[in-house]
Amino acid sequence: MNKSAKHDFSHDKSSIAKGALNTFFNIADAWRLNTEQAMKLLGLDSKSTFFKWKKKPEEANLTQDKLERLSYIFGIYKALQILLPKPEASDTWLSRPNSASPFNGQSALDRMLSGHVADLYVVRQYLDSQRGWS
């Protein structure tokens, strides 16, 4: 491979990590998540890693699991923006008790905080079905 054809994938990874984590932290603020809740959604156990990512997101090594979690969270956020265009409605919907079958009286956030990626998927799927997607 000649020099002009080489590509610096590490730069791509750091810019993806920076953009993705900055977006996540903005969503976490909008949803008024505390540190523990934000860590749970990201699938993190280490507070030091969490705060390191918050301070220097471009240095984060986002695994496939983390990228999948972020993708679902971004989709949930976007679906809420479409379904409930007023920020006070879309940003508080997650925390309100919900009688729909996937939630059984709990909030969507309670479901999402189980720690399982599958529960992020369930919330995303529910919102997509509310938008008329299935």
Side-chain angles (χ1 to χ4, degrees):
M1 185 185 303
N2 65 35
K3 283 186 177 182
S4 63
K6 287 186 178 179
H7 189 83
D8 182 5
F9 290 108
S10 64
H11 176 70
D12 289 349
K13 286 174 75 172
S14 69
S15 61
I16 289 168
K18 182 177 183 179
L21 288 173
N22 284 338
T23 300
F24 171 78
F25 290 122
N26 287 334
I27 291 171
D29 287 345
W31 288 347
R32 295 179 178 90
L33 301 179
N34 63 35
T35 298
E36 288 74 23
Q37 291 170 321
M39 286 175 57
K40 187 69 99 167
L41 291 184
L42 280 173
L44 285 176
D45 296 325
S46 166
K47 277 191 179 181
S48 62
T49 299
F50 177 82
F51 287 111
K52 180 180 164 192
W53 285 10
K54 198 166 186 177
K55 187 174 182 177
K56 294 185 177 181
E58 66 279 0
E59 293 182 9
N61 181 19
L62 297 179
T63 62
Q64 188 64 38
D65 172 75
K66 304 299 183 251
L67 291 169
E68 186 175 357
R69 289 170 178 279
L70 289 166
S71 175
Y72 286 130
I73 292 163
F74 298 165
I76 290 165
Y77 182 80
K78 181 170 175 76
L80 286 170
Q81 299 299 304
I82 292 167
L83 289 165
L84 303 165
K86 292 183 179 176
E88 63 273 11
S90 60
D91 294 340
T92 60
W93 180 87
L94 280 181
S95 300
R96 292 196 302 261
N98 193 322
S99 59
S101 63
F103 311 114
N104 299 317
Q106 291 187 308
S107 71
L109 183 59
D110 288 334
R111 178 81 191 245
M112 292 165 61
L113 291 173
S114 73
H116 302 288
V117 175
D119 289 309
L120 296 173
Y121 169 78
V122 167
V123 174
R124 169 75 191 269
Q125 188 177 48
Y126 171 78
L127 291 169
D128 284 348
S129 73
Q130 296 303 300
R131 293 174 51 202
W133 296 19
S134 52

